[in-house]
Amino acid sequence: AYIGSISGYCLASMVGFLSLHFIKTSWSWRIPFIIPIFLLPALLYFGRYLKQTDVEPVVPLEHTRIVILFQHWRVLLKGVLLAIAGGVFYASFFVFMVTYLHVYVGLALPTVFWLNAICLVCSAVTFYGFAYLADRWGKGRLLMASSLATLLCLYPAYVLVHADLLIWVFMGMLLLILCDTAFQAAAYPTYVEIFPKSIRFIGCSLVYNIGAGIFAGLTPSLLVKLA
């Protein structure tokens, strides 16, 4: 699921790069919004034929799934906090970084999109290794280690992205993105495992969208004000 999501963002970065680099007209910004129309057949196909995991009907008749979900409020709170951390990391290192490098560092947008696409590819490739490490070492340990690594790497990455050479800017971006990839490798299966099967779908949907939709969505705006 993560690699599929990252692949989509990578393609989006490449579309942004191609639109800005090769098309210089005032209407070129509309092209990326038209392209998804051609993806509709694939979306319809996968939506129809994607195999679903069977869920046992274990919900008592006198309760709704929402009521049962909030009866597991401790699990729900853990999931929300985990999703907030993952969402804030992702929005900071993948989304806001594009704006920061263009507005505050002074790099051209095509260059920023190209660097971001390379970092996304690196994230997708290294995710396999981090996922294997999460299985062998433990997801909790990897979550703690990647969070600590993120804190330790923030200042060195900030220095690197302000360097004169493009390779150092890339290394600064990659440093933070690898920390986030390690965190996500442990977080994604944790979302699924902490909820009982009867409320797993609604539980994962709720906590992930609180973290990714609300907190991650507001993170770039907050960082712009702090910058």
Side-chain angles (χ1 to χ4, degrees):
Y2 178 83
I3 293 174
S5 174
I6 286 294
S7 300
Y9 284 114
C10 182
L11 289 175
S13 290
M14 291 306 300
V15 169
F17 167 77
L18 293 173
S19 299
L20 292 171
H21 187 73
F22 293 105
I23 305 175
K24 305 294 184 179
T25 61
S26 60
W27 49 265
S28 61
W29 64 270
R30 296 178 174 88
I31 295 177
F33 293 93
I34 299 174
I35 292 177
I37 295 175
F38 301 100
L39 300 177
L40 284 176
L43 294 175
L44 293 173
Y45 174 81
F46 286 114
R48 183 175 180 181
Y49 294 104
L50 188 65
K51 185 177 180 180
Q52 298 288 342
T53 302
D54 293 333
V55 178
E56 299 175 4
V58 296
V59 181
L61 294 177
E62 65 272 14
H63 293 94
T64 65
R65 293 183 188 271
I66 294 292
V67 173
I68 295 177
L69 176 64
F70 283 96
Q71 287 177 350
H72 295 79
W73 64 270
R74 290 184 179 86
V75 175
L76 188 63
L77 180 61
K78 291 178 182 178
V80 168
L81 293 175
L82 181 63
I84 289 173
V88 170
F89 287 166
Y90 190 91
S92 301
F93 305 148
F94 283 99
V95 180
F96 175 72
M97 184 61 73
V98 173
T99 301
Y100 186 83
L101 291 176
H102 175 60
V103 176
Y104 299 99
V105 179
L107 296 179
L109 264 181
T111 302
V112 176
F113 280 131
W114 178 246
L115 290 175
N116 193 53
I118 297 175
C119 286
L120 287 164
V121 171
C122 293
S123 178
V125 172
T126 57
F127 189 83
Y128 285 100
F130 287 124
Y132 177 80
L133 184 61
D135 287 337
R136 294 297 300 270
W137 193 32
K139 289 179 283 294
R141 290 180 178 179
L142 185 58
L143 286 171
M144 294 297 294
S146 57
S147 299
L148 180 60
T150 301
L151 293 175
L152 294 177
C153 291
L154 282 175
Y155 182 73
Y158 174 80
V159 174
L160 287 172
V161 298
H162 282 271
D164 294 331
L165 294 177
L166 201 60
I167 183 63
W168 293 119
V169 177
F170 169 72
M171 293 302 296
M173 294 176 64
L174 187 63
L175 193 62
L176 294 176
I177 283 173
L178 290 180
C179 291
D180 178 68
T181 303
F183 185 92
Q184 303 295 353
Y188 267 65
T190 303
Y191 294 134
V192 179
E193 294 176 358
I194 61 176
F195 289 102
K197 184 181 289 187
S198 61
I199 56 171
R200 183 171 295 161
F201 209 159
I202 190 172
C204 290
S205 300
L206 181 62
V207 301
Y208 185 80
N209 281 286
I210 289 175
I214 299 175
F215 285 87
L218 293 173
T219 296
S221 297
L222 178 61
L223 292 176
V224 166
K225 292 183 179 180
L226 293 177

